[in-house]
Amino acid sequence: MSSIHFIRPKRMISLTNFSIDAPRWDQNTFVGRLKHFFNITDPRTVLVSECELDRAKALVESCRAGLVPPGTSQEQLFYAKKLYDSAFHPDSGEKMNLIGRMSFQVPGGMAITGFMLQFYRTVPAVVFWQWVNQSFNALVNYTNRNAACPISLTQIGVAYVTATSTALATAVGLNLYTKRAPPLVARWVPFAAVAAANCVNIPMMRQQELLNGILVTDDEGRELGRSRVAAAKGITQVVVSRIAMAAPGMVLLPILMERLEKFPFMKRIQVLHAPLQVMLAGAFLLFMVPVACSLFPQRCSMALSNLEPELRASVLASRGDSVPYVYFNKGL
């Protein structure tokens, strides 16, 4: 990948009208959000060294302070912001663990999804791969939570155990129930388990937001208070996005493999079925990760009238009718 320090300057930056945090693409449109998430979920960024990520953060922070090094090009700033967005939490600014980053969803998710779809016939295999998947999901959900709402180790443990138990109960139950069903139906069991677990894992991992609310602001970023209703909306959108992220690969790939495995050449290379499913799962995720993240705006909005009565009354008392909408980070 290109280093921040070695891109040939093409267009010099003037800080007069340039904001490093201003979206390059319109985030109020699906296409604009799609371009943004294709950029920051680029799986190639997981190969970038820690030193280069730190340099990217330093350059972004310098730009925010109006102290861009002489000779810095617009391309260098955009690339630094891409690395920053891919590796650092949008709330805290802290570097996220590698496995929990959305840019790791393709390499991490493709392996787990491929093996879940391949090894679905026996209960031990179902249990093992659902456990691996829920461990991965728990880390991703924790990493991408709203960082303004801390969660204790006990709450993390309860969320992990609950989500894993839900996935295992769904997967094993359906696996036994579909023993006499058509083979294709049995192949869809992993998706049912993943969907059910997402409905539990994400709310449990972000339970503090539901209990205490998340920070909401006006359109200029001024804090207005904490809202449980906003938290519920944001978490619901994340659950829908995560299920949509997995759906095409886990629903369509079994149909494809069911048909391919009927060909004589596929029966001769059964040892390659698992690697093939992993690669095909990766192809689905390469597109579905940014598509699913783009379904809803990252900076979510809600009409003031839909907030809890006490918060709405507080905002009206202090700001009058000047705040028709509130805004918050829904997380990923």
Side-chain angles (χ1 to χ4, degrees):
M1 297 192 68
S2 301
S3 171
I4 295 171
H5 294 287
F6 299 103
I7 299 177
R8 184 192 306 172
K10 296 179 180 179
R11 181 180 176 186
M12 308 313 294
I13 269 299
S14 169
L15 292 181
T16 306
N17 297 312
F18 182 82
S19 171
I20 191 69
D21 292 311
R24 291 179 64 181
W25 301 281
D26 184 0
Q27 295 301 287
N28 292 318
T29 67
F30 173 76
V31 173
R33 294 194 296 271
L34 185 61
K35 291 179 180 179
H36 169 73
F37 281 109
F38 260 117
N39 191 45
I40 69 170
T41 63
D42 183 348
R44 294 174 297 177
T45 60
V46 302
L47 302 176
V48 174
S49 69
E50 296 295 303
C51 291
E52 188 164 358
L53 292 176
D54 291 336
R55 288 197 296 268
K57 181 179 182 180
L59 184 55
V60 169
E61 291 178 342
S62 295
C63 185
R64 287 171 174 167
L67 302 172
V68 172
T72 302
S73 69
Q74 186 172 1
E75 287 75 13
Q76 286 174 306
L77 288 177
F78 282 148
Y79 182 61
K81 188 60 163 57
K82 171 179 179 172
L83 295 184
Y84 179 86
D85 287 342
S86 73
F88 294 89
H89 197 282
D91 291 334
S92 65
E94 295 180 357
K95 187 182 294 179
M96 297 182 287
N97 67 81
L98 177 65
I99 297 175
R101 298 173 194 169
M102 295 308 293
S103 55
F104 193 78
Q105 280 288 298
V106 172
M110 66 184 283
I112 296 172
T113 301
F115 286 124
M116 278 197 300
L117 293 177
Q118 178 64 26
F119 303 110
Y120 65 93
R121 293 180 176 87
T122 66
V123 171
V126 168
V127 169
F128 176 75
W129 286 109
Q130 286 294 333
W131 168 74
V132 171
N133 184 54
Q134 289 313 309
S135 299
F136 177 65
N137 285 345
L139 185 56
V140 172
N141 294 335
Y142 174 76
T143 302
N144 293 281
R145 73 199 186 284
N146 187 308
C149 299
I151 182 172
S152 68
L153 289 176
T154 300
Q155 291 168 327
I156 292 172
V158 171
Y160 171 70
V161 171
T162 305
T164 303
S165 300
T166 301
L168 293 179
T170 304
V172 173
L174 289 177
N175 183 270
L176 296 175
Y177 182 75
T178 57
K179 285 294 185 182
R180 298 181 180 180
L184 183 58
V185 174
R187 286 178 179 268
W188 282 331
V189 167
F191 173 66
V194 167
N198 270 320
C199 293
V200 174
N201 194 328
I202 297 171
M204 289 292 293
M205 191 62 70
R206 297 174 60 175
Q207 59 186 283
Q208 285 299 103
E209 299 174 37
L210 294 170
L211 294 173
N212 302 319
I214 58 174
L215 186 66
V216 296
T217 68
D218 62 14
D219 59 348
E220 295 182 0
R222 291 188 288 262
E223 297 182 6
L224 299 173
R226 290 184 174 274
S227 170
R228 295 183 298 277
V229 175
K233 178 178 179 179
I235 290 172
T236 299
Q237 291 183 350
V238 172
V239 170
V240 172
S241 294
R242 292 294 184 81
I243 293 175
M245 190 183 296
M250 300 191 80
V251 172
L252 299 179
L253 187 51
I255 298 175
L256 178 61
M257 290 300 297
E258 180 76 10
R259 295 185 177 181
L260 285 177
E261 288 175 0
K262 294 178 180 179
F263 289 100
F265 78 94
M266 285 292 289
K267 294 178 180 178
R268 293 195 297 269
I269 57 169
Q270 290 191 15
V271 69
L272 298 180
H273 287 191
L276 176 61
Q277 289 219 75
V278 168
M279 296 304 296
L280 291 174
F284 276 104
L285 285 173
L286 188 63
F287 291 96
M288 285 311 302
V289 169
V291 167
C293 290
S294 304
L295 292 178
F296 307 102
Q298 180 69 24
R299 187 180 184 234
C300 197
S301 64
M302 175 178 283
L304 180 67
S305 59
N306 292 332
L307 294 180
E308 349 6 16
E310 60 272 19
L311 179 56
R312 182 170 67 247
S314 174
V315 174
L316 288 172
S318 61
R319 302 289 296 275
D321 296 328
S322 63
V323 184
Y325 291 91
V326 299
Y327 300 86
F328 54 94
N329 173 23
K330 71 175 178 62
L332 286 174

